[in-house]
Amino acid sequence: MTTLDTATTLAPGRTARAWRTVRSSRTAVIGLAIVAVHVVIALLAPLLTSYDPIAGDAAHALLGPSWSHWAGTDQYGRDVLARVLYGGRYALGVSFAATLLTVALGTVVGCAAALRGGWFDDVLGRVLDAVLSVPSILALLVIVTALGTGPLVIVLAIAVVYVPQVVRVIRGAALAVVPADYVTAARARGESTFSILRREILPNITDVVCVEFAMRASWVVLLISSLSFLGFGADPPTPDWGLMVAENRTAITVVPMASLAPIIALATLVVGLNLAADGLSKAWGVDRIREGS
């Protein structure tokens, strides 16, 4: 990783070089393109379908694919394609918010642990070990059962579950930067911990943070859909992929597209995020196993 003696922000030249490196990775380009397609479709959902994703029509329930309903209808007579298109909004919106909060908190805490060291790092390590010993899905179920199932609760619950993992990865990356001369010089100048984190450490681990964001997002998308499938995520009749699979699994032999369509949408989004994370990791030379150790 290239270091800068004074790194207040990413210089335009460095940003351009990073983008050229990303474009040289076919895996990263394909992954980012798939994610971009999902984002565009979610944003343009009202223009791509004329059906209301939550309006039911009992007279047209359980219909197969046709010119009127390209993916058929579900057991409540709702257009499956419309629900899939609008479901991308919920999946992307909640997942992005949860991932952003998780990575932001994990980055700040991880960098602070690497910079401060000593008893703070030791105590934090023991707390993280305790939290990580609890299975993610179990911890999430406990939180949403106690606090409810709204989007805000889900975002906060995912942050509680995944922040410890992000802290360990970012801490590993920051530990390689802390001994650098420019960090030592900043300490000698009496700069605050926040200033050193913002100006000296963060600009030099941006690639690790970006890779962690992409990888974490793929897990968050799956986790949110799993919660909805189990009945602890989106409330009916919200168009959500996990909820769609749960609602239509009993009728999969009658209208298979009602279950297959959201599964395909979810799978392609997760594949895109994983390809992006893998491509970025290889392009920037980020060893996630080493950084998380």
Side-chain angles (χ1 to χ4, degrees), residues 114-173:
L115 184 61
R116 296 294 297 273
W119 67 269
F120 178 78
D121 192 23
D122 292 338
V123 172
L124 180 63
R126 302 295 77 78
V127 173
L128 295 182
D129 290 340
V131 176
L132 290 172
S133 66
V134 181
S136 300
I137 190 66
L138 179 60
L140 276 174
L141 290 176
V142 171
I143 294 173
V144 299
T145 300
L147 301 180
T149 59
L152 179 59
V153 173
I154 293 176
V155 168
L156 295 176
I158 289 176
V160 171
V161 171
Y162 277 151
V163 161
Q165 300 180 29
V166 177
V167 169
R168 300 189 72 171
V169 173
I170 300 303
R171 173 184 173 276

Side-chain angles (χ1 to χ4, degrees), residues 62 245 247-260 263:
L62 300 177
V245 176
E247 290 177 336
N248 296 288
R249 68 185 188 279
T250 56
I252 192 170
T253 57
V254 180
V255 283
M257 284 303 297
S259 296
L260 292 179
I263 291 175

Side-chain angles (χ1 to χ4, degrees), residues 14-143:
R14 186 178 178 183
T15 303
R17 287 195 299 273
W19 176 240
R20 285 196 297 269
T21 303
V22 171
R23 287 190 300 174
S24 67
S25 172
R26 180 176 300 180
T27 301
V29 171
I30 293 175
L32 292 173
I34 293 174
V35 175
V37 169
H38 272 277
V39 172
V40 171
I41 290 176
L43 292 175
L44 298 181
L47 302 178
L48 298 177
T49 179
S50 58
Y51 291 101
D52 187 333
I54 63 175
D57 184 359
H60 295 84
L62 300 177
L63 296 179
S66 64
W67 286 111
S68 299
H69 302 279
W70 289 7
T73 61
D74 62 11
Q75 58 184 329
Y76 300 106
R78 299 172 301 199
D79 185 75
V80 171
L81 181 59
R83 289 183 61 77
V84 170
L85 295 178
Y86 279 89
R89 289 185 160 194
Y90 183 89
L92 290 168
V94 177
S95 298
F96 177 80
T99 306
L100 183 62
L101 178 61
T102 299
V103 174
L105 290 177
T107 298
V108 172
V109 176
C111 289
L115 184 61
R116 296 294 297 273
W119 67 269
F120 178 78
D121 192 23
D122 292 338
V123 172
L124 180 63
R126 302 295 77 78
V127 173
L128 295 182
D129 290 340
V131 176
L132 290 172
S133 66
V134 181
S136 300
I137 190 66
L138 179 60
L140 276 174
L141 290 176
V142 171
I143 294 173

Side-chain angles (χ1 to χ4, degrees), residues 219-257:
W219 296 343
V220 169
V221 168
L222 279 175
L223 200 54
I224 289 176
S225 295
S226 298
L227 283 176
S228 295
F229 180 80
L230 295 173
F232 293 93
D235 295 321
T238 303
D240 174 77
W241 295 336
L243 181 60
M244 288 180 65
V245 176
E247 290 177 336
N248 296 288
R249 68 185 188 279
T250 56
I252 192 170
T253 57
V254 180
V255 283
M257 284 303 297

